[in-house]
Every structure is written in structure tokens, then in C-alpha cells.
Amino acid sequence: GETPEDVIPLSVRLDKDKRGLLISGPNAGGKTVAMKTMGVSMAMAMSGVFPLGTCVTNLRRLYAAIGDHQSIDSTLSTFSSQIIRLRDILSYCDQDALVLIDEICAGTDPAEGGALAAGILDSLIERGASFVVTTHQSSLKQYALSRPTITNASLPFDEERLQPTFNFLFGVPGNSYAFDLARNVGLPDVVLNRAKDYVGDRHGELEESIVAIQRFKLE
């Protein structure tokens, strides 16, 4: 069985100056687990139950857009079902609320989805809410760098073993490692090489920069 030494702690701080966390990183890297850990701890604290560790908060409401709520009966796609949920959250949230959004505005054109997500996060900031959001979109990582109230965060990946580390890293966005993970499950190299040609040099440079910043931060 696991020993206490196997437990990797997660410490998060949000205040009036830093009210949003944008978490990025690879699939199966721990983004959603980290966000749900924060949400469950907050829900316990709000209910008068002491969570593991320490939880100090003045927040009083918790809103979540997590999971795929598509429905053929209701003519809802993955994207539209999340947008409806976000519409309702924006109607009710205020400075007493913590909002949790998993894979914000995924499931549509990445450029339009990224722009919509930025508009939604701007509105959450305007309404005074605190939020934790996960994403794979590079445009949002860059957007967060331009907003003083939002902090990029990531869960670094062990590039050699292609396994998550579950260490939470503040201030640095994360890479998705889509090509590495695809290679690891057996996608042919010829397909991956063609894909890299389509991505172009600029995206590769961005990923290399993120890796360098993560290493520097960890050191």
C-alpha cells in the first residue's frame, strides 16, 4: 500500500489581487484532479467539515462546469451544454463565489473557443468572482500572462517516463505533450512528423520556452 511519503501536497492561494488560476498541462497530467481537490476542500469547508490540511476562505458559493453534459434529446453538444452552464454561472456569480471550469470552451474552433473563453474570464473578473480553470489552448496561456489578476499554473510532466508528476507549479503554463503521448501509444512516426510540419516552428518555440521556464522555476 501507499505510505504518507507518496502523498504530493497541493497548496493554493487566491486573494483580491490574484483571483484566477489557469491550469494547463498534458492529458492525464492531473489538471482536473487538482481542480476537483480544491473544489471538494472548499465544499467541505463551507459545510463546516474540516478538510485535510488547512482551508481558510471568505467565499460562500461554489459553481462548477465540469464534465460532458451533451444530450441528443435536448440537442446539446459538448460545447453548447457547457456554454449554457457558463451563461447561468455568469448570471449568479459575484465576489463571494468560486467558479470551477474544466476545459473551458473546448469542442469548437480553437481560435473562436479561445476568444470566447477570454471573454468569459474577463466577465468573471469584472463580477469579482474567483475561479480555477483548466485548458489546453495556447492562446489562453498567453492571455493569462496579460491579466494581472490571473495566474498561470501547471502540472509538469516527466518527459523521460512520460508520466505525470502531480506537482503543482505556480506562475508557469504547461505543455500538452500531445505528440509525445501519441507516440507513446503507438501512432506512427510518419504521422507525427507530418503533424509537426503543420504546427510550425512558432508553436515548437513556445513549448520549448515553457519547458525551460518550468525547469528554472522547479530549480
Side-chain angles (χ1 to χ4, degrees):
E2 291 190 348
T3 63
E5 286 76 22
D6 295 315
V7 175
I8 299 172
L10 171 62
S11 299
V12 176
R13 179 185 177 89
L14 294 174
D15 53 35
K16 60 183 176 62
D17 297 319
K18 294 289 184 182
R19 289 192 283 108
L21 271 181
L22 184 75
I23 308 174
S24 49
N27 294 98
K31 298 188 302 299
T32 304
V33 171
M35 183 179 64
K36 287 181 176 179
T37 299
M38 297 175 208
V40 170
S41 297
M42 286 291 297
M44 290 172 70
M46 290 176 184
S47 303
V49 179
F50 289 102
L52 291 172
T54 303
C55 183
V56 179
T57 181
N58 292 321
L59 299 173
R60 294 291 178 266
R61 279 185 289 283
L62 191 62
Y63 298 102
I66 300 174
D68 190 337
H69 299 280
Q70 62 175 286
S71 167
I72 295 174
D73 286 343
S74 304
T75 323
L76 290 176
S77 66
T78 300
F79 174 73
S80 59
S81 64
Q82 188 192 69
I83 292 299
I84 289 170
R85 184 164 288 212
L86 294 176
R87 176 202 67 191
D88 294 341
I89 288 171
L90 284 170
S91 299
Y92 292 106
C93 72
D94 56 20
Q95 68 273 9
D96 292 331
L98 174 65
V99 181
L100 308 176
I101 308 172
D102 196 26
E103 299 291 356
I104 187 169
C105 294
T108 190
D109 176 273
E112 293 183 357
L116 267 175
I120 289 166
L121 297 186
D122 278 347
S123 297
L124 289 175
I125 293 170
E126 189 176 64
R127 294 186 67 86
S130 299
F131 54 87
V132 180
V133 176
T134 70
T135 188
H136 282 288
Q137 301 194 46
S138 295
S139 62
L140 274 187
K141 300 172 195 178
Q142 293 167 326
Y143 154 86
L145 291 171
S146 68
R147 293 294 184 275
T149 49
I150 304 179
T151 302
N152 271 303
S154 57
L155 290 106
F157 208 48
D158 186 325
E159 295 177 62
E160 293 181 4
R161 295 185 299 164
L162 291 180
Q163 290 180 351
T165 64
F166 298 110
N167 289 306
F168 199 75
L169 195 60
F170 270 97
V172 183
N175 288 328
S176 292
Y177 291 97
F179 291 156
D180 294 313
L181 290 167
R183 177 181 290 110
N184 198 41
V185 298
L187 198 66
D189 284 343
V190 63
V191 176
L192 293 166
N193 291 333
R194 286 170 177 162
K196 287 179 180 177
D197 289 339
Y198 281 116
V199 166
D201 294 335
R202 191 174 177 188
H203 183 79
E205 289 169 4
L206 175 63
E207 290 204 332
E208 288 172 13
S209 299
I210 289 174
V211 169
I213 294 169
Q214 283 185 340
R215 285 176 183 157
F216 179 76
K217 185 91 172 178
L218 285 167
E219 288 171 5

